[in-house]
Amino acid sequence: MPPSRLKIAAAYFMIYVVWGSTYYFIGVCLRDIPPIALGALRFSAAGAALLLICRLQGEKLFRRRLIMKSAVSGIVLLFVDQAVIMFAQRFVNSSLVAIVASSTAVWIMLLDVPMWKRTFKSAATVAGMLAGFVGVALLYAEQLYSDAHTIRHGEYGILLLTGGCISWACGTLYSKYRCSAEEETDGLAGAAWQMAAASAAFAVCALVCGDFGDVTPTAVSASAWASLAYLVTFGSMLAYTAYIWLLKVRPATEVATHAYVNPVVAVAIGAGLGGEQVTPVQLAGLAVILLSVMLVNKRKPETQTTEK
């Protein structure tokens, strides 16, 4: 039985709006918590909570195939992508990070080989994916121009970010076609083990880099702890699991449009909470992004066979 439209809409709200809001709360956390330690704390708490929920629901957690496949997906999806973004910001500014990171949607379209015939047959889908990238570029164009003098060794940062985007795309498609094909990963357990694997990788890096030593719990502000709680519950436990579920029932190219909408939400929250001004160029970028999402989502629903 196909999922209800309401359930699909709720899942898209999670990956569009809730994920977009995490940009702001990550920024609040990073004032007091080093980035790698933040990744370890966030995903360990979310993974442990999901594993507990799965246990209470009676799911069989300790299955080798489940753990191995989830670990691969979690490290490629969560750890590599997030770690690359953190490291790349040593070479480029946040505006360029946002622009290049949005190319994830294009990489998913290009690497989703099983869907090539369907995707490239639709001119609206291809045009929408390319237009979305242009829209994000417009959204950050002025910031990028004003910060251009701060970029050092930008080519290294762009290469790192591109690698991170490809990693996220590969992890997304692996999760869709390899993990989702297994009945054992249909529940929350797969997402829980993905986060556990990512948290372990972050923890190792944090220990090597000494990030944990820079975290003094009493020195971390209440707003940072509250933001971390938001990232754990809404950003990871709800939005990420919604993303994994959507990959099972919707085309990966369509789900990937979150990479275009998230920056829009981030800019809107920055204007609302941070008092940042929204310029005409950013409004133009917003219009292009909305048009791109409409074009991509215009495609007809897939058959039940394809959704599986």
Side-chain angles (χ1 to χ4, degrees):
M1 181 178 179
S4 67
R5 291 186 177 181
L6 180 60
K7 189 174 181 180
I8 291 175
Y12 270 111
F13 176 83
M14 286 294 170
I15 69 169
Y16 278 0
V17 179
V18 174
W19 251 357
S21 69
T22 59
Y23 284 76
Y24 174 80
F25 293 102
I26 288 173
V28 174
C29 286
L30 290 177
R31 297 172 189 168
D32 300 322
I33 305 173
I36 299 178
L38 174 61
L41 292 171
R42 174 183 176 179
F43 293 119
S44 61
L50 283 179
L51 285 172
L52 177 59
I53 292 172
C54 292
R55 183 65 177 174
L56 294 175
Q57 291 179 342
E59 288 196 49
K60 296 180 180 179
L61 297 177
F62 297 98
R63 288 167 284 162
R64 185 175 180 275
R65 286 174 61 85
L66 168 65
I67 295 173
M68 293 299 293
K69 285 193 172 185
S70 299
V72 171
S73 184
I75 290 175
V76 175
L77 258 174
L78 295 172
F79 171 69
V80 174
D81 179 75
Q82 293 296 310
V84 162
I85 287 177
M86 294 173 188
F87 188 68
Q89 291 189 66
R90 297 182 179 183
F91 304 103
V92 297
N93 52 43
S94 59
S95 57
L96 187 55
V97 168
I99 293 170
V100 178
S102 70
S103 70
T104 299
V106 177
W107 284 110
I108 290 176
M109 178 182 71
L110 294 176
L111 295 175
D112 192 2
V113 178
M115 291 296 292
W116 273 2
K117 185 176 180 180
R118 182 180 181 88
T119 298
F120 292 103
K121 185 179 179 180
S122 171
T125 298
V126 176
M129 295 300 286
L130 297 177
F133 182 73
V134 173
V136 174
L138 286 173
L139 200 65
Y140 288 94
E142 293 169 310
Q143 181 184 340
L144 180 63
Y145 177 78
S146 63
D147 293 344
H149 64 282
T150 66
I151 298 177
R152 297 291 184 272
H153 305 295
E155 65 276 12
Y156 301 136
I158 292 174
L159 286 174
L160 283 169
L161 287 169
T162 301
C165 292
I166 294 174
S167 176
W168 179 272
C170 290
T172 291
L173 297 173
Y174 180 86
S175 181
K176 180 176 179 63
Y177 293 115
R178 295 297 298 274
C179 293
S180 297
E182 299 289 337
E183 184 180 352
E184 63 185 4
T185 59
D186 282 349
L188 295 176
W193 283 119
Q194 288 177 22
M195 293 181 199
S199 69
F202 273 114
V204 170
C205 290
L207 288 171
V208 172
C209 298
D211 273 17
F212 284 138
D214 296 332
V215 179
T216 304
T218 55
V220 177
S221 65
S223 60
W225 286 123
S227 296
L228 176 58
Y230 180 88
L231 293 175
V232 169
T233 54
F234 291 93
S236 296
M237 295 179 65
L238 294 177
Y240 184 71
T241 53
Y243 181 75
I244 297 300
W245 177 79
L246 273 174
L247 289 175
K248 302 175 186 177
V249 299
R250 301 302 304 163
T253 299
E254 180 183 299
V255 179
T257 54
H258 76 86
Y260 298 148
V261 180
N262 290 165
V264 174
V265 176
V267 169
I269 291 178
L273 298 181
E276 301 172 5
Q277 291 187 343
V278 179
T279 68
V281 175
Q282 288 179 316
L283 290 175
L286 170 61
V288 172
I289 290 171
L290 292 177
L291 175 61
S292 74
V293 173
M294 290 174 61
L295 287 172
V296 174
N297 291 345
K298 190 178 180 181
R299 63 168 22 169
K300 295 180 180 179
E302 294 180 283
T303 63
Q304 185 68 18
T305 301
T306 306
E307 287 177 355
K308 287 184 179 180

